[in-house]
Amino acid sequence: MGSRLGSTAQNALEVARFGGLDTEEDASPFEVVTEQRVYRLRHYFPESADGPVMLLVPPLMITAEVYDISSRVSAVGVLRDLGVDPWVVDFGAPEREPGGLERTVTDHVVAVSDAVDRIRAITGRDVHLAGYSQGGMFVYQAAAYRRSEGVASVVTFGSPADTSVGLPFGLPSWIATEGAERIPDWMLGGFAVPGWVTRLGFQLLSPVKSVRSRAEFIMQLHDRERLAPRERQRRFLEREGWVSWPGPALAEFIRQFIQHNRMLTGGFVIGDRLVTLADITCPVLTFVGEVDEIAAPPMVRGIRRAAPRAQVYEACLRAGHFGLVVGSLAISRTWPSVAAWVRWREGDGELPEIVAPVNGDEEAPPAALPGGPAGYGLQLAMGIGTNAARSAFRTAARAVQGTRQLTGEAAQNLPRLARLERIHSNTRMSMGLLLDEQARRMPAEVFFLYQGRAHTHDAAKRRIDAIVRGLIHIGVRHGDAVGVLMGTRPTALALVAALSRLGAVAVLLRPDGDPAAEAALSGITRVIADPEHAARAARLDGVEGYVLGGAGRGDRGPLTDMERIDPDAVEPPKWYRPNPGRAGDLAFVIFSGDGEHLRASRITNRRWALSAFGTASSAALSPADTVYSITPLQHPSALLMSLGGAVAGGARLALAGGYDPETFWDEARRYGVTVASYTWTLLRDLADAPPDPAERHHAVRLFIGSGMPRNLWRRVEDRFAPARVLEFYASTEGEAVLVNLSGKKPGSLGRPLPGSAEVRLARYDLESGRLVQGPDGLAVECGPGEIGMLLARVRPSAVGSAARPVRGVFRPEDAWTITGDLFRRDDDGDFWLVGRDAELIHTAEGIVPPGPIRDALGDLPYIDTVAVYGIPAGDGELAAAAVGLRGGAGAGSAPEGAGLKPVDLSEALLRVDPGLRPSIVRVVDEVPVTAGRRLRTAPLREEGIPAADDGRVYYRDRAGAYRPLTEAARRRLLRAPAAREAR
């Protein structure tokens, strides 16, 4: 007993003095190949270097010795013994490195990529890249950053790729997400986390195991030989293996990968480059700890969804977080399997037994239980108390998850709607004002993304303020109208924002339109163009031209170059006040139509704010979202919805230089898109495109826009589930806004957005174009199912500028505007667009709106697009419908059963009142569309009734059935009113 006590005392004194027992074990030999600012590159066993190369990356808070703790627990030793050449990235101890506590995630990812380049240059081999925990996240990020160039494979151990499914210890993800939102950037990145704090946190995640391990050490302190084999491992985990976590890296990690989950969604920023794990194309092997409380299996398995182009393999071990790479199980199972994997990828040997390929979301079969079923049962029993409590907590968390989501969105949206309600004509409100607010609140956060680069709010504000001074220098003042002739590019966005900040009016000329006619219609005297459109701007008569953007690039032409103006040399005049715009002030002018149908729409700051806050509220936009604007900045959907919603919601804005269905999913992944905009039939090509690997497990949750046909709506939601369509209706100049929030009724435009103008449906005489009056002389409101004209309430201060205003409609002194759009309202109160008064077809049977025909034919599964229009015939018009078939198949060339059938036409149109059915239905190769993908009926109308020998035209006979058009029937249609032909 005395000897035992003496040994215990002697060993305890050694532990107290030196932190542990001296085991006389040496580390594996290595040489430092290079020493850079952020890392040192270690090459282990350099004297015997040969074979395939593997680079091991440690996590931020643990030293590189995690891969070589002792001669008995050495990952690099096992790899070398099994024919792999091991290299290790050593980030050192940041607290002891110059500038170490200022490092960012970018610094570490770029360091790993640099190490790959150096190893390839030395060995002439591609590198197998491996990382543990957060080191594995660095490995994923570096492989994506490199687009897998030079990376033979990726191997990770307990590395999360999806934090939305939970956090360590089974905590729900909203705890970190909501907590991070409440911590300001200066606080989050203002301090480093000491190594002892991280160590304590890890120990608290497994308190029973930590206490048991310490108790066993004390009880065996007398037996040095028994303690020696695990002593280096104990010292590493208890003390020596932990280092500080730099504050900036911590802030970036929490913002990008915890709060916004961009490992899964893509769009995280390395330097100023956008990166997505979807760019990983090399094979991936991920080790999953089935009892890992820090990186739970669902978090780790997120790589299957995050990297859809990579073939993912999985190895499941009954291990905790540390047990995957450290300890007896790691030495006997993990590292031999890693070596076998490398050899197999190099064409030498078989796929390791515990490794299995995975596809989709199925799970790989688990490995055998350590110690057999009885041994694992004993381990499980020892943790039964904490597991029971954990299970109860998880159950409760799931029960409140839906409620929390709803209350969270309400908490986010109520202030937006309340602010919208408080906006009056004299309220200060403008795009420039909201951008300034966001820049003050989150200067370091990304504002917009363009061509793979990220631009922060702070950088955008500096550019906008510089342009403001340039505008002042050329004489622009508050209230002046200035033409903007530019493609979609950062300079165009900055110029529009600068004009708003100055209080001027941005007149958005369309590069694909007629700038001369638009400039004349708007009466501008100045135009600012980008270099690509400078020549066209120079040709505008009576308009002074300037060029902005692309400094030093492109043909500047004869225009004054605003890039040569030194903003620091411009002294703001006394009259200048940033963001002076009031809600009632004119802010933007946009154009639609062409030729004699060219129309200018005047948008006030209030109208822009209505769309901005309305979009942000309806789509529940937050800083975790990226809104993808795939329409030009001059289009209302981009200006009002995408840009406006992103600014009001604090979301990131991704600008597309153009729309290409073939690259849509690549860009959506790279930008981390969660919300994508559309107009009319823009998504048709995307819905019909061949499957794209990047489409699998995409992060898009909403497609937002207006004008999508009902059949396309269904196809988009069916193909891209769980994403859904959020359809808006908004009058460009008025304040009526409808939105289908529930998405349960494809084709419906929903109900009025809170904060927008009050709307009502009034009976409308289609023949006279007037509201129907009741006995009291007031308008008559429509009942459910009745077609009527949509009226929008007008504020008294806006009556003078309203289009088609009417007074005394439902009561004396009230004021409304006629929108020109016919709707019906169903029993639930949802609005359905029937047609616009300009689209009405005047037949002998009466006036035919296009909506019912369009919806009925569009419901046929093989019909792609439907255009309804009138053809002049006799004293009136014939109602006609042109349809395009899915796949472009015509009646004569379609596969059997795929063409248009007359019986299908007759059955589909039975749902339409007889007097509203078309006289002609024709199949066309392609329905004409505008640049914004709105269907064009004018060319079809000009073609009249096609020839009878076309073989793709059907007419309605006297019995109401549809038959192939004959020459006799065609002559009757041309000379006879439509009503007679159908009788």
Side-chain angles (χ1 to χ4, degrees):
M1 176 64 72
S3 174
R4 177 170 180 166
L5 289 175
S7 297
T8 300
Q10 182 179 351
N11 292 338
L13 179 62
E14 185 176 344
V15 171
R17 291 184 63 190
F18 304 110
L21 304 176
D22 183 9
T23 61
E24 299 182 352
E25 289 183 279
D26 293 328
S28 300
F30 68 87
E31 68 173 352
V32 176
V33 174
T34 183
E35 184 170 346
Q36 300 297 315
R37 182 180 65 86
V38 176
Y39 79 105
R40 300 174 184 86
L41 180 59
R42 298 180 180 182
H43 185 196
Y44 279 83
F45 309 101
E47 298 300 326
S48 59
D50 190 23
V53 175
M54 171 161 276
L55 176 61
L56 300 166
V57 181
L60 270 185
M61 60 285 189
I62 297 178
T63 66
E65 279 70 27
V66 69
Y67 297 119
D68 188 42
I69 292 177
S70 71
S71 59
R72 295 181 180 88
V73 188
S74 174
V76 295
V78 174
L79 292 175
R80 179 66 272 170
D81 291 343
L82 295 174
V84 178
D85 183 13
W87 300 63
V88 174
V89 168
D90 176 14
F91 296 122
E95 63 271 28
R96 294 193 292 270
E97 303 284 345
L101 295 180
E102 302 301 318
R103 294 174 182 171
T104 64
V105 168
T106 291
D107 291 331
H108 294 84
V109 174
V110 172
V112 173
S113 180
D114 181 72
V116 171
D117 286 333
R118 293 177 185 274
I119 294 172
R120 293 181 72 204
I122 294 170
T123 66
R125 290 175 174 267
D126 284 349
V127 178
H128 295 271
L129 201 50
Y132 163 56
S133 190
Q134 191 189 10
M137 297 174 72
F138 288 153
V139 163
Y140 284 141
Q141 293 158 10
Y145 180 75
R146 300 176 61 87
R147 308 279 178 89
S148 298
E149 181 184 355
V151 180
S153 75
V154 165
V155 182
T156 63
F157 313 89
S159 300
D162 180 7
T163 58
S164 70
V165 293
L167 293 173
F169 210 57
L171 296 175
S173 59
W174 55 261
I175 290 180
T177 301
E178 296 185 9
E181 287 178 355
R182 289 165 172 76
I183 304 176
D185 288 342
W186 64 266
M187 181 181 294
L188 191 59
F191 62 90
V193 178
W196 67 267
V197 173
T198 308
R199 182 188 74 236
L200 180 61
F202 272 74
Q203 291 171 349
L204 290 176
L205 289 175
S206 301
V208 175
K209 184 176 181 180
S210 298
V211 171
R212 186 168 64 243
S213 176
R214 293 191 177 189
E216 289 175 352
F217 177 76
I218 293 172
M219 295 299 293
Q220 297 173 7
L221 196 55
H222 64 284
D223 191 345
R224 190 184 188 93
E225 291 185 2
R226 189 170 183 179
L227 291 176
R230 295 178 57 84
E231 178 60 6
R232 288 283 296 271
Q233 180 176 330
R234 185 195 69 81
R235 290 175 61 173
F236 181 88
L237 296 178
E238 289 285 339
R239 185 172 183 175
E240 297 172 358
W242 303 89
V243 294
S244 295
W245 196 333
L250 174 65
E252 199 174 347
F253 176 78
I254 290 177
R255 289 284 188 241
Q256 291 210 64
F257 308 121
I258 301 298
Q259 183 180 355
H260 302 324
N261 197 27
R262 293 203 166 107
M263 284 287 285
L264 179 69
T265 64
F268 57 90
V269 181
I270 300 299
D272 64 348
R273 269 183 54 189
L274 291 166
V275 181
T276 169
L277 298 194
D279 285 335
I280 298 177
T281 55
C282 62
V284 173
L285 169 58
T286 178
F287 281 80
V288 179
E290 291 295 335
V291 289
D292 190 339
E293 289 289 0
I294 294 172
M299 300 168 66
V300 176
R301 288 177 174 135
I303 188 60
R304 305 171 184 178
R305 301 185 297 281
R309 290 192 177 89
Q311 174 58 64
V312 178
Y313 296 77
E314 185 176 298
C316 300
L317 294 174
R318 294 290 180 178
H321 198 62
F322 282 107
L324 283 173
V325 294
V326 175
S328 58
L329 181 66
I331 296 303
S332 64
R333 303 295 300 277
T334 301
W335 296 111
S337 298
V338 171
W341 161 269
V342 171
R343 293 197 306 271
W344 175 67
R345 292 304 311 169
E346 297 288 331
D348 178 18
E350 302 293 331
L351 184 68
E353 180 183 354
I354 68 170
V355 175
V358 292
N359 297 293
D361 291 318
E362 79 274 12
E363 296 187 4
L369 302 179
Y376 185 68
L378 180 60
Q379 296 178 29
L380 192 63
M382 296 183 69
I384 190 77
T386 54
N387 286 341
R390 218 172 288 143
S391 176
F393 180 81
R394 288 169 179 161
T395 301
R398 282 193 297 268
V400 302
Q401 183 177 7
T403 303
R404 288 199 59 84
Q405 183 177 356
L406 290 175
T407 55
E409 290 182 3
Q412 203 172 50
N413 290 334
L414 286 176
R416 296 169 181 168
L417 296 176
R419 184 173 184 179
L420 190 58
E421 292 280 2
R422 294 194 301 268
I423 295 177
H424 303 291
S425 295
N426 289 324
T427 305
R428 282 187 64 207
M429 173 53 60
S430 66
M431 177 194 295
L433 178 67
L434 293 188
L435 281 174
D436 261 357
E437 292 176 359
Q438 298 289 15
R440 284 194 298 270
R441 190 169 68 89
M442 46 184 187
E445 290 292 301
V446 173
F447 166 35
F448 71 93
L449 314 164
Y450 180 74
Q451 291 187 348
R453 301 287 176 178
H455 305 265
T456 65
H457 278 280
D458 183 61
K461 177 176 170 56
R462 292 197 303 271
R463 174 63 168 164
I464 292 167
D465 287 342
I467 294 176
V468 166
R469 296 203 174 201
L471 292 169
I472 291 173
H473 180 77
I474 66 174
V476 179
R477 296 179 63 96
H478 180 193
D480 289 352
V482 178
V484 177
L485 182 57
M486 293 184 175
T488 299
R489 58 191 301 162
T491 298
L493 177 60
L495 175 57
V496 170
L499 289 167
S500 175
R501 184 159 297 167
L502 188 60
V505 180
V507 180
L508 302 180
L509 308 178
R510 296 174 296 177
D512 59 350
D514 185 348
E518 293 170 1
L521 181 61
S522 58
I524 58 172
T525 58
R526 293 186 184 91
V527 64
I528 302 174
D530 56 20
E532 289 77 7
H533 299 93
R536 297 181 71 185
R539 292 195 294 269
L540 298 179
D541 293 335
V543 179
E544 191 173 0
Y546 303 85
V547 65
L548 179 68
R553 300 192 304 272
D555 182 10
R556 321 300 281 184
L559 304 184
T560 301
D561 190 349
M562 291 183 64
E563 295 293 346
R564 295 181 176 274
I565 300 171
D566 181 3
D568 294 331
V570 178
E571 185 69 25
K574 297 294 184 183
W575 57 261
Y576 173 65
R577 295 290 183 275
N579 308 309
R582 305 287 173 172
D585 292 346
L586 181 62
F588 309 101
V589 177
I590 58 177
F591 300 91
S592 59
D594 51 32
E596 61 181 16
H597 300 293
L598 179 65
R599 177 171 172 263
S601 297
R602 300 162 59 85
I603 299 172
T604 65
N605 282 315
R606 175 179 165 83
R607 175 65 186 84
W608 180 85
L610 177 64
S611 281
F613 285 107
T615 301
S617 301
S618 301
L621 296 178
S622 75
D625 284 304
T626 299
V627 180
Y628 191 24
S629 179
I630 55 180
T631 53
L633 194 60
Q634 302 84 6
H635 196 282
S637 73
L639 178 68
L640 302 177
M641 195 174 298
S642 302
L643 172 57
V647 171
R652 306 193 306 181
L653 175 69
L655 294 174
Y659 169 62
D660 184 353
E662 293 185 2
T663 61
F664 176 89
W665 289 111
D666 285 338
E667 295 194 357
R669 288 279 189 174
R670 186 159 298 115
Y671 292 139
V673 173
T674 57
V675 177
S677 67
Y678 69 84
T679 59
W680 303 100
T681 62
L682 189 66
L683 297 182
R684 171 191 161 209
D685 293 339
L686 189 67
D688 292 339
D692 188 320
E695 176 187 333
R696 294 177 56 242
H697 307 301
H698 63 79
V700 177
R701 62 182 182 86
L702 285 175
F703 291 98
I704 61 172
S706 60
M708 184 181 291
R710 184 164 70 181
N711 60 339
L712 179 57
W713 184 332
R714 293 192 181 108
R715 284 156 51 196
V716 167
E717 292 194 335
D718 287 346
R719 175 162 179 177
F720 304 127
R724 64 182 185 86
V725 172
L726 185 66
E727 174 82 2
F728 287 85
Y729 162 88
S731 51
T732 305
E733 296 185 20
E735 298 181 1
V737 178
L738 305 175
V739 58
N740 187 332
L741 275 176
S742 70
K744 294 180 180 178
K745 299 177 181 178
S748 167
L749 294 177
R751 303 176 189 181
L753 177 74
S756 65
E758 177 188 356
V759 297
R760 292 192 189 180
L761 280 186
R763 289 182 183 170
Y764 191 73
D765 188 328
L766 300 179
E767 295 286 353
S768 65
R770 296 180 179 179
L771 297 176
V772 174
Q773 297 181 358
D776 55 3
L778 299 177
V780 180
E781 192 165 2
C782 294
E786 190 177 355
I787 295 176
M789 175 62 68
L790 186 72
L791 306 181
R793 192 72 176 262
V794 180
R795 292 172 290 110
S797 59
V799 172
S801 60
R804 301 178 68 179
V806 286
R807 283 184 172 275
V809 180
F810 296 106
R811 63 174 181 265
E813 303 300 327
D814 66 358
W816 300 77
T817 182
I818 297 175
T819 65
D821 296 323
L822 298 169
F823 280 82
R824 64 176 177 85
R825 189 175 62 242
D826 62 23
D827 292 333
D828 297 326
D830 291 310
F831 287 79
W832 298 76
L833 181 65
V834 174
R836 293 172 169 81
D837 55 1
E839 300 173 336
L840 297 176
I841 304 166
H842 297 262
T843 73
E845 291 183 313
I847 294 179
V848 176
I853 300 172
R854 189 165 49 225
D855 289 344
L857 292 177
D859 285 344
L860 289 173
Y862 51 78
I863 285 186
D864 183 19
T865 50
V866 182
V868 181
Y869 56 100
I871 298 176
D875 296 331
E877 294 178 303
L878 297 172
V883 300
L885 304 185
R886 295 186 62 180
S893 61
E896 186 176 353
L900 185 63
K901 302 180 180 64
V903 66
D904 290 344
L905 289 178
S906 300
E907 290 180 1
L909 291 166
L910 283 176
R911 291 176 290 164
V912 180
D913 289 342
L916 304 182
R917 296 173 190 166
S919 297
I920 293 174
V921 178
R922 59 179 296 201
V923 178
V924 295
D925 294 330
E926 194 76 27
V927 175
V929 295
T930 65
R933 302 299 177 92
R934 185 174 185 173
L935 300 181
R936 295 179 61 218
T937 58
L940 297 170
R941 177 183 174 91
E942 291 171 1
E943 292 178 8
I945 302 176
D949 59 3
D950 183 90
R952 303 190 299 173
V953 185
Y954 304 87
Y955 78 102
R956 185 163 54 105
D957 65 14
R958 291 181 173 85
Y962 285 87
R963 301 179 180 279
L965 182 67
T966 63
E967 188 57 38
R970 185 176 185 275
R971 288 195 297 270
R972 289 198 302 272
L973 288 169
L974 286 171
R975 67 172 181 266
R980 296 179 194 168
E981 184 63 30
R983 284 173 187 162

